[in-house]
């Protein structure tokens, strides 16, 4: 049935396309139909069905010629943070309204060159600042999982990407992760989300939030799909000075599922007061699954973990303050209307006040404060030193022989939209407690669904790997995925 095609994994679709059992046009039409019926989720914010059909037809030609890459013909959603040529790219913000880039981000160009089909742009927190996809100029994205009358958050900032993949509106999606924005939404929606090592995927053409933390990655229905998609996204880019000039391994080829002899660390600092019992149980069960698969489970210490959130919320706003200074209404995007006699300063002030939402304004103000002459040493320099110590904690663990680290992905299951409003932003920031350390240390991390909580909502576990060892990390995740056997899907209500 056509309606079942959008439910396919990337791996299954690739094999079906090669076998001639389905065409890229049929796959694309199935996803376009699902997107049209999925408006209640608020996932797709700029739809490109005509462009998708055009690329699907081109993909079918390549597949018939017999030289198509693995991603050829696969329908994807693209987070609104990625610049896409001729297609609105607003980063979820009003200040970029009407911006249609004349260029393509390196990651989306690589996917396009591999024959992937772009279905449209996906909802996100404004400038990727948020953990619930409620700061978006488009309105909130909605989690396809539902257990009562409430609408639940799909997480953030890549909430639209997570909702679209979980609801089978597309076969995979791009996300970006600055402090957990791929892994947290993946955990909330029961999908797989991979944040690669910083520098594995080019940041060129991705609207910047915090340049030393941002990293693009895949959001998919399985670990194998994440490996396939990362293969197409990764690689050195001379246009990005932080892009690593390293060979890209065969990520899918590394998926043997054999983790015998691997040493998996359990950090004692991640056992936090007030952690829900469901998550504590799941964490213990995940460790036992890996032990049963032949891995050795060891307790480790990451002593500076408790300083990670404060350090992150100094460094990230500081970099955001610098990056967002370019949005002033002069060259592109929104420009405020001025009264007679107003000068350029009034134009800057009104444009930024009208164009930026409250969360972005809050973080720009915090960032400007910690970078100011009187507070630079007291806050920003100190946070950078803490970041170095956090990275050293991980380096020491890996030097002691640990191959990967297992932690919860989030401190709770998905919560209701509006339950953590801007009246208490710190409570929202605590959602990143298990994920920000990975960005501060530049490490690869993956979240995958392992079970359900008592109400029937998905819960994810996070695996953290050695730098540049995504192949090994994916294989460990593959073994955990196999042992967990998670197959639950949201019941369609939209």
């Amino acid at each position: 049935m056509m309606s079942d095609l959008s439910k396919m994994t990337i791996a299954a679709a690739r094999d079906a396309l090669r076998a001639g059992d389905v065409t890229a046009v049929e796959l694309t039409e199935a996803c376009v139909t699902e997107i049209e019926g999925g408006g209640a989720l608020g996932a797709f914010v700029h739809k490109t069905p005509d462009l998708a059909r055009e690329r699907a037809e081109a993909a079918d030609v390549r597949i018939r010629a017999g030289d198509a890459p693995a991603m050829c013909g696969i329908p994807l959603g693209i987070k609104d943070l990625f610049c896409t040529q001729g297609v609105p790219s607003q980063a979820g913000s009003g200040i970029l309204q009407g911006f249609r880039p004349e260029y393509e981000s390196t990651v989306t160009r690589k996917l396009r060159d591999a024959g992937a089909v772009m279905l449209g742009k996906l909802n996100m927190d404004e400038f990727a600042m948020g953990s619930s996809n409620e700061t978006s100029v488009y309105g909130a994205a909605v989690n396809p999982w539902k257990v009562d009358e409430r609408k639940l958050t799909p997480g953030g900032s890549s909430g639209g990407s997570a909702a679209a993949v979980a609801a089978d509106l597309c076969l995979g999606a791009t996300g970006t992760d600055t402090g957990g924005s791929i892994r947290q939404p993946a955990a909330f929606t029961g999908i797989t989300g991979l944040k690669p090592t910083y520098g594995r995927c080019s940041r060129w053409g991705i609207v910047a939030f915090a340049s030393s933390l941002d990293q693009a990655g895949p959001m998919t229905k399985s670990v194998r799909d994440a490996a396939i998609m990362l293969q197409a996204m990764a690689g050195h880019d001379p246009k990005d000075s932080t892009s690593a000039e390293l060979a890209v391994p065969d990520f899918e080829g590394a998926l043997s599922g054999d983790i015998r002899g691997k040493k998996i660390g359990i950090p004692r600092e991640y056992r936090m007061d007030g952690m829900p019992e469901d998550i504590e149980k799941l964490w213990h069960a995940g460790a036992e699954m890996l032990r049963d698969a032949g891995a050795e489970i060891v307790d480790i210490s990451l002593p500076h973990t408790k300083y990670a959130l404060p350090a992150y919320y100094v460094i990230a706003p500081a970099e955001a303050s610098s990056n967002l200074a370019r949005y002033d209404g002069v060259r592109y995007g929104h420009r405020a209307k001025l009264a007679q006699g107003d000068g350029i300063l009034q134009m800057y002030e009104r444009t930024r006040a009208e164009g930026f939402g409250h969360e972005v304004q809050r973080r720009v103000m915090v960032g400007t404060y910690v970078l100011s002459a009187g507070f630079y040493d007291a806050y920003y320099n100190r946070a950078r030193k803490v970041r170095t110590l956090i990275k050293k904690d991980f380096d020491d663990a890996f030097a002691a022989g640990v191959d990967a680290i297992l932690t919860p992905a989030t401190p709770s299951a998905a919560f209701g939209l509006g339950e953590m409003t801007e009246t208490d932003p710190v409570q929202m920031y605590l959602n990143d407690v298990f994920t920000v350390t990975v960005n501060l240390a530049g490490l690869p991390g993956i979240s995958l669904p392992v079970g359900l909580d008592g109400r029937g909502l998905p819960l994810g576990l996070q695996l953290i790997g050695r730098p540049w060892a995504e192949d090994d990390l994916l294989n460990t995740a593959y073994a955990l995925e196999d042992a967990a056997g998670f197959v639950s899907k949201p019941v369609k209500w939209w």
Side-chain angles (χ1 to χ4, degrees), residues 31 44 80 105 110 138 160 202 210 246 255 313 324 353 400 402 488:
C31 290
F44 276 87
D80 196 35
S105 79
K110 281 175 169 285
Y138 310 115
S202 171
L246 292 173
L255 302 181
Y313 279 103
L324 271 60
V402 169
S488 300

Side-chain angles (χ1 to χ4, degrees), residues 135-212:
T135 71
S136 169
V137 73
Y138 310 115
V142 181
N143 197 325
W145 290 80
K146 213 172 193 294
V147 291
D148 50 35
E149 73 286 349
R150 296 175 304 154
K151 288 183 177 179
L152 302 177
T153 175
S157 62
S158 307
S161 300
V165 174
D168 295 318
L169 307 188
C170 54
L171 274 60
T174 62
T176 62
D177 193 310
T178 305
S181 287
I182 286 175
R183 291 159 290 150
Q184 183 249 29
F188 277 2
T189 56
I191 65 169
T192 298
L194 172 64
K195 175 220 166 291
T197 310
Y198 181 80
R200 176 65 85 184
C201 295
S202 171
R203 292 186 301 108
W204 193 86
I206 300 173
V207 179
F209 165 13
S211 300
S212 74

Side-chain angles (χ1 to χ4, degrees), residues 132 134-135 358-359 362 415-429:
S132 64
E134 291 175 278
T135 71
H358 293 317
E359 182 61 33
R362 179 184 292 120
F415 50 87
L417 291 169
E419 289 181 6
M420 292 192 193
T421 63
E422 62 179 35
T423 55
D424 187 11
V426 174
Q427 190 64 34
M428 187 77 81
Y429 297 166

Side-chain angles (χ1 to χ4, degrees), residues 260-475:
R260 289 173 294 180
K262 296 289 184 184
K263 193 178 285 189
I264 310 297
I266 307 293
R268 61 180 70 105
E269 289 80 9
Y270 280 58
R271 290 192 174 91
M272 298 188 172
D273 294 338
M275 185 188 293
E277 187 180 347
D278 286 335
I279 289 178
E280 186 75 54
K281 282 183 180 176
L282 190 77
W283 191 14
H284 178 74
E288 288 305 308
M289 291 175 200
L290 292 171
R291 192 196 307 274
D292 291 344
E296 178 187 354
I297 307 299
V298 295
D299 284 330
I300 63 169
S301 178
L302 301 171
H304 295 94
T305 295
K306 63 183 176 181
Y307 304 116
L309 270 175
Y312 174 85
Y313 279 103
V314 170
I315 292 169
E319 295 185 11
S321 164
S322 177
N323 279 326
L324 271 60
R326 70 193 70 173
Y327 304 108
D328 54 16
V330 174
R331 294 187 64 188
Y332 45 76
H334 173 73
R335 177 185 293 187
K337 291 181 179 176
L338 303 181
Q340 188 172 3
D342 282 346
I344 192 167
L345 183 60
Q346 287 78 22
M347 192 269 284
Y348 287 159
E349 289 174 346
R350 289 189 189 176
T351 294
R352 292 168 69 81
E354 292 174 11
F356 289 147
H358 293 317
E359 182 61 33
V360 171
Q361 292 176 11
R362 179 184 292 120
R363 296 200 197 192
V364 167
M365 292 292 285
V366 168
T368 304
Y369 178 82
V370 301
L371 288 175
S372 61
F375 301 99
Y376 183 87
D377 287 328
Y379 291 102
Y380 187 67
N381 255 351
R382 190 168 296 181
R384 289 170 62 199
K385 290 174 182 176
V386 170
R387 180 180 190 170
T388 302
L389 293 172
I390 289 168
K391 184 177 185 305
K392 186 177 183 300
D393 289 347
F394 285 104
D395 290 344
D396 291 346
F398 293 133
V402 169
D403 295 289
I405 296 166
L406 180 71
T407 79
T410 58
S412 70
F415 50 87
L417 291 169
E419 289 181 6
M420 292 192 193
T421 63
E422 62 179 35
T423 55
D424 187 11
V426 174
Q427 190 64 34
M428 187 77 81
Y429 297 166
L430 292 174
N431 260 280
D432 301 330
V433 66
F434 298 129
T435 53
V436 295
T437 53
V438 179
N439 299 79
L440 290 168
L443 299 172
I446 187 170
S447 170
L448 63 153
V450 178
L452 301 172
D453 73 356
R455 297 170 299 163
L457 291 175
L459 295 172
L461 290 180
Q462 173 180 232
L463 281 162
I464 304 166
R466 298 171 178 268
W468 312 114
E470 289 91 352
D471 48 353
D472 194 48
L473 176 66
L474 282 160
N475 186 47

Side-chain angles (χ1 to χ4, degrees), residues 56 60 65 117 215 235 285 341 374-375 400 442 467 479 483:
D60 281 330
V117 175
Q215 185 59 200
F375 301 99

Side-chain angles (χ1 to χ4, degrees), residues 51-282:
L51 180 62
R53 293 180 181 111
E54 180 184 314
R55 292 187 180 176
E57 289 169 3
D60 281 330
V61 171
R62 290 180 72 177
I63 291 166
R64 286 194 295 271
D67 64 345
M71 287 297 295
C72 191
I74 304 298
L76 301 176
I78 304 297
K79 186 176 179 178
D80 196 35
L81 206 63
F82 292 79
C83 288
T84 44
Q85 189 173 9
V87 177
S89 304
Q90 287 186 229
S93 179
I95 206 163
L96 279 173
Q97 186 173 2
F99 177 53
R100 293 174 180 260
E102 293 300 318
Y103 54 89
E104 190 85 18
S105 79
T106 296
V107 164
T108 52
R109 178 187 56 77
K110 281 175 169 285
L111 289 166
R112 183 191 67 192
D113 292 349
V117 175
M118 182 177 74
L119 296 163
K121 305 298 284 292
L122 293 162
N123 205 346
M124 56 175 284
D125 280 303
E126 184 181 8
F127 283 104
M129 298 181 194
S131 300
S132 64
N133 212 136
E134 291 175 278
T135 71
S136 169
V137 73
Y138 310 115
V142 181
N143 197 325
W145 290 80
K146 213 172 193 294
V147 291
D148 50 35
E149 73 286 349
R150 296 175 304 154
K151 288 183 177 179
L152 302 177
T153 175
S157 62
S158 307
S161 300
V165 174
D168 295 318
L169 307 188
C170 54
L171 274 60
T174 62
T176 62
D177 193 310
T178 305
S181 287
I182 286 175
R183 291 159 290 150
Q184 183 249 29
F188 277 2
T189 56
I191 65 169
T192 298
L194 172 64
K195 175 220 166 291
T197 310
Y198 181 80
R200 176 65 85 184
C201 295
S202 171
R203 292 186 301 108
W204 193 86
I206 300 173
V207 179
F209 165 13
S211 300
S212 74
L213 301 164
D214 300 343
Q215 185 59 200
M219 302 182 74
T220 59
K221 300 176 187 180
S222 72
V223 171
R224 182 175 294 278
D225 284 4
I228 295 168
M229 192 166 163
L230 180 62
Q231 192 81 40
M233 296 171 65
H236 177 247
D237 179 10
K239 290 184 286 191
D240 175 8
S241 62
T242 62
S243 171
E245 199 165 353
L246 292 173
V248 178
D250 180 358
F251 296 122
E252 187 182 10
L255 302 181
S256 67
D258 185 0
I259 59 168
R260 289 173 294 180
K262 296 289 184 184
K263 193 178 285 189
I264 310 297
I266 307 293
R268 61 180 70 105
E269 289 80 9
Y270 280 58
R271 290 192 174 91
M272 298 188 172
D273 294 338
M275 185 188 293
E277 187 180 347
D278 286 335
I279 289 178
E280 186 75 54
K281 282 183 180 176
L282 190 77

